[in-house]
Amino acid sequence: MTTRPKEVGADRPVISLRDLCKEYGVSDLAVHALRGVNLEVERGDYLAVLGASGSGKTTFMNIIGCLDVPTSGRYLLDGIDVSFLDESQLALVRRRKIGFVFQSFNLIPRMTALANVELPLAYAGVRNKQRRQRALAALALVGLADRSNHMPNQVSGGEQQRLAIARALVTSPTLVLADEPTGNLDTAASADLLAVLDRLSAAGRTIVMITHEHDIAAHAKRQIHMVDGRITEDNRIVGLADPPPLLASSMVAS
Ligand code: ADP
Ligand code: MG
């Protein structure tokens, strides 16, 4: 058991996994998707999770994102044991602690950019004026201040994904979780998106990004490799360049 101080805990890991296992199905037919994963992710770290298709990345992400629970083992998220919570408890933890960025953006089509970004704050009960201020600040952070009244289909794919990042950030989550965030983007839009993540990381955000592309993973501070439900490599990347100061292409375009 841990002897860390119980409150505040700026020094406690954001993610702590102990011998985490996930099986789908039972007995002889069970698929062992995770086979004893141990991992600590410190506050402010930027982790890329690499691995071939079928290695367990999505299962891993679903569990650390509190979308699913492990079959055995322990998961502490920001010091809270979430291994055995029920669906409504998991939903609460998700809303409070995690900002999701999915490959497919998941924006609401009939709502403006601003309203999409405000939505998590509305769920959290934040009042109108403060909601607006925080959403506008998040939009500015991803270089989309001038797109606040556009509908999602009136902006480019890259801008939609940055909108999704603004929405993920606006609640100041403990953890930003990105699943193949550049999967549907072209090279220029990917570069802009990675620049946003680099800046978030430089600002102290904790980020976990799932990807199967090595040049995308190269932006992280640390890379883990998954093979057949296990972590086989865990490398800290040294000598990272400073993140680019601003989004060059979007600034020119606006
Ligand atoms: P990845 O995201 O790296 O491709 P997954 O976590 O999706 O890996 O899958 C890991 C293993 O678990 C694979 O063998 C996959 O077929 C299996 N699997 C994933 N989800 C399910 C499920 N809902 N039911 C049964 N098997 C599953
Ligand atoms: Mg997957």
Side-chain angles (χ1 to χ4, degrees), residues 50-104:
L50 282 151
S53 176
S55 59
K57 300 184 302 297
T58 296
T59 302
F60 171 85
M61 197 208 74
N62 287 344
I63 294 174
I64 65 169
C66 294
L67 294 160
D68 200 358
V69 289
T71 308
S72 63
R74 201 135 185 263
Y75 173 21
L76 302 187
L77 169 60
D78 203 18
I80 303 167
D81 191 339
V82 294
S83 322
F84 302 105
L85 298 185
D86 67 26
E87 189 41 55
S88 67
Q89 292 168 317
L90 283 177
L92 198 65
V93 173
R94 273 200 303 273
R95 216 156 61 204
R96 292 210 178 137
K97 300 271 181 194
I98 300 170
F100 289 98
V101 181
F102 296 101
Q103 179 173 356
S104 53

Side-chain angles (χ1 to χ4, degrees), residues 121-254:
L121 296 175
Y123 287 137
V126 177
R127 282 162 180 270
N128 253 325
K129 192 174 163 199
Q130 210 204 356
R131 213 156 74 197
R132 183 134 310 194
Q133 275 170 0
R134 286 173 63 178
L136 286 170
L139 283 169
L141 202 68
V142 300
L144 292 176
D146 58 346
R147 298 288 194 273
S148 61
N149 289 318
H150 287 56
M151 295 305 200
N153 68 2
Q154 294 173 323
V155 302
S156 70
E159 288 171 331
Q160 288 181 47
Q161 189 58 306
R162 281 190 273 133
L163 202 51
I165 292 197
R167 183 189 52 187
L169 290 178
V170 75
T171 54
S172 300
T174 311
L175 174 65
V176 175
L177 198 48
D179 186 18
E180 302 271 1
T182 60
N184 286 326
L185 302 182
D186 63 26
T187 312
S190 293
D192 278 350
L193 180 100
L194 289 166
V196 168
L197 291 177
D198 288 351
R199 284 192 294 138
L200 292 180
S201 175
R205 292 286 178 175
T206 310
I207 304 171
V208 174
M209 174 172 69
I210 314 282
T211 181
H212 59 267
E213 294 177 66
H214 286 267
D215 53 336
I216 303 290
H219 283 253
K221 294 180 186 169
R222 179 182 174 195
Q223 298 180 353
I224 63 172
H225 293 250
M226 293 196 67
V227 177
D228 206 12
R230 290 191 180 89
I231 295 175
T232 56
E233 277 181 61
D234 184 344
N235 302 316
R236 191 148 289 282
I237 313 303
V238 287
L240 274 183
D242 285 336
L246 269 176
L247 301 160
S249 66
S250 70
M251 301 312 283
V252 172
S254 62

